[in-house]
Amino acid sequence: MPRNSTRVVRVGTVMFGGGHPIVVQSMCATKTQDVAATAAQAEQLRQAGAGIVRIAVDSPKDAQALREIRQQTEANLSVDLQENYRLVTEVAPFVNKIRYNPGHLYHHQPQVPWQDKVRFIAEVAAKYDCALRVGVNCGSVDPAKRDKFPPEDKISPMLESALEHCELLDRLGFMQYCVSLKDSDPRLVVELNQRFAAARPDVPLHLGVTEAGMPPEGILKTRAALIPLLASGIGDTIRVSLTLPNERKHEEVLAGLQIVEDVLAGRVTVEPWLPGRLNIVSCPSCSRVENAAFVELAEKVRELTTYAANYPITIAVMGCRVNGPGETDDADLGLWCGPKYVNLKRGPVSLGSFTYDEILPRLKQELDSLIAERTGVSSDRVMTPTEG
């Protein structure tokens, strides 16, 4: 399959870019400090076909667990750094790749310029022969970039952030990096990556639709974005991010392998993901989920809202404090889940916290109210557009 001739990046035993085969990735959903479970899941994902397995590390205790996990799996490991960029010194000796989010570099030591933080990360990565991923995400964009553009422009802040980080890494002489530009809207994912590839055709791209949701819808969304990009030669490594219980996490890998196989076989016709219908956005289950009931809640939200299938409304269901607060702002209704309570939002406005037993009736109340406002129909008479 013809590929864009990006530079080659090595992650442990695999290489991508420069004409190498597309690498499928996934991420452990077990608690990182549960060493046995995380090592077992990393192995499950590797054996399913994942060339790289990502693990979240948010604390020194997570980093200590990573040391033990490394001894129990042959997977090529990537670590996901969030607020505390200095944890890179504790994790780099035990992984093959480090992912950082430009939008999260501001949370820890805000007085330190982001350039110095990236320099620190790159120096440690080079010392331990780790690759880097600059992971730009729609829900956590660099605030300086976000404020520079009008709110309706979702692409320019992300694109400028990615390009700026590439330029810095190039100046530092660190070339073993790739970039990802992810959104929950497949159309934006396509445009973002097309524009980045045109500006920096040398930089390998990791493709994915963030918070794609539950299968089968999450797979359809991802296919709508990734197949056109891969078919045009854009993309070197991919992930299908699905909301799944732990025992089914390997389905992400299988879905990714199927996408690659279909593109290789020329099966590149996909159903476009178009607006005008209910869109449930939910993050992939990962170790940061504070209550395993999050996955079950996402399924219940899908079941509850079937009557609203033909309304152009977005509902976001997020599993943790990292993704929850920011990545529900763009949804019409957002739920982000804590250990005991679910925080309900209408756009960026908080409506309060509810127990897992209370949240569904309140969500339906808000959904009916929203439909009534947009259609002029009393909320107690809301029905699907095909009824009556």
Side-chain angles (χ1 to χ4, degrees):
M1 175 167 56
R3 317 292 317 135
N4 282 10
S5 65
T6 57
R7 70 168 70 108
V8 177
V9 172
R10 182 173 61 82
V11 180
T13 62
V14 300
M15 291 189 289
F16 56 80
H20 287 278
I22 294 164
V23 174
V24 176
Q25 303 188 26
S26 187
M27 184 175 182
C28 288
T30 51
K31 294 294 183 183
T32 302
Q33 293 177 41
D34 187 341
V35 172
T38 303
Q41 187 161 83
E43 276 297 290
Q44 178 199 46
L45 296 172
R46 181 185 70 84
Q47 292 173 16
I52 301 170
V53 176
R54 187 154 57 109
I55 296 175
V57 172
D58 291 331
S59 69
K61 288 185 177 180
D62 285 345
Q64 181 59 41
L66 184 66
R67 178 192 298 262
E68 300 177 52
I69 292 165
R70 171 74 285 172
Q71 298 172 358
Q72 298 181 32
T73 176
E74 297 178 16
N76 296 308
L77 295 181
S78 172
V79 74
D80 195 18
L81 294 179
Q82 294 291 343
E83 288 90 344
N84 189 353
Y85 73 98
R86 297 190 67 86
L87 278 176
V88 67
T89 58
E90 298 184 44
V91 301
F94 311 108
V95 298
N96 309 104
K97 182 182 175 190
I98 295 159
R99 183 261 190 182
Y100 76 87
N101 183 336
H104 285 160
L105 290 178
Y106 292 82
H107 298 170
H108 185 70
Q109 296 182 335
Q111 74 282 4
V112 178
W114 69 264
Q115 293 89 341
D116 292 347
K117 297 176 181 180
V118 172
R119 183 178 293 105
F120 182 81
I121 293 170
E123 288 174 352
V124 175
K127 179 180 178 180
Y128 291 100
D129 195 24
C130 293
L132 288 180
R133 167 153 69 103
V134 181
V136 183
N137 196 299
C138 64
S140 49
V141 181
D142 177 337
K145 299 300 178 191
R146 183 187 60 227
D147 296 342
K148 182 179 175 181
F149 297 93
E152 63 272 14
D153 185 352
K154 304 297 184 183
I155 289 179
S156 296
M158 295 178 65
L159 192 61
E160 189 166 303
S161 179
L163 292 171
E164 190 174 59
H165 279 255
C166 291
E167 291 167 5
L168 176 58
L169 290 169
D170 291 345
R171 290 199 304 271
L172 295 172
F174 188 94
M175 310 307 286
Q176 284 288 294
Y177 71 88
C178 66
V179 166
S180 63
L181 297 124
K182 294 188 178 183
D183 196 281
S184 58
D185 186 331
R187 298 165 301 165
L188 292 182
V189 172
V190 172
E191 184 173 353
L192 276 163
N193 285 278
Q194 286 175 337
R195 289 174 59 177
F196 180 88
R200 289 299 305 262
D202 59 311
V203 176
L205 277 166
H206 167 75
L207 304 181
V209 174
T210 190
E211 293 119 24
M214 297 158 282
E217 296 90 348
I219 296 174
L220 295 175
K221 283 185 191 178
T222 306
R223 291 177 63 87
L226 270 56
I227 287 181
L229 288 167
L230 292 172
S232 65
I234 297 172
D236 304 280
T237 171
I238 68 170
R239 181 191 175 194
V240 182
S241 300
L242 299 175
T243 308
L244 290 166
N246 284 1
E247 63 273 13
R248 295 176 54 196
K249 200 61 179 170
H250 65 287
E251 291 179 23
E252 286 192 350
V253 182
L254 302 181
L257 292 171
Q258 186 64 57
I259 288 172
V260 175
E261 180 181 326
D262 286 347
V263 176
L264 283 169
R267 297 188 291 268
V268 295
T269 301
V270 294
E271 178 185 355
W273 190 261
L274 300 175
R277 53 187 172 183
L278 181 70
N279 180 27
I280 297 179
V281 175
S282 59
C283 59
S285 44
C286 78
S287 66
R288 295 191 184 95
V289 170
E290 296 177 283
N291 189 325
F294 152 73
V295 176
E296 183 180 353
L297 177 63
E299 291 282 0
K300 289 180 178 178
V301 168
R302 177 166 61 179
E303 294 171 7
L304 174 73
T305 59
T306 52
Y307 71 94
N310 294 322
Y311 291 101
I313 291 172
T314 296
I315 301 174
V317 188
M318 297 294 142
C320 74
R321 62 176 178 79
V322 173
N323 290 328
E327 301 193 20
T328 49
D329 281 354
D330 290 335
D332 296 297
L333 295 169
L335 297 80
W336 66 273
C337 304
K340 296 181 179 179
Y341 295 93
V342 179
N343 303 279
L344 179 62
K345 296 168 64 180
R346 187 159 176 169
V349 179
S350 175
L351 301 178
S353 299
F354 303 87
T355 67
Y356 281 77
D357 292 332
E358 296 169 338
I359 188 61
L360 290 173
R362 182 57 192 272
L363 173 65
K364 185 177 186 306
Q365 177 184 336
E366 292 298 329
L367 178 58
D368 290 348
S369 174
L370 186 61
I371 293 172
E373 287 178 15
R374 294 185 178 182
T375 62
V377 176
S378 172
S379 60
D380 60 0
R381 298 186 62 191
V382 167
M383 60 183 66
T384 67
T386 57
E387 286 180 335

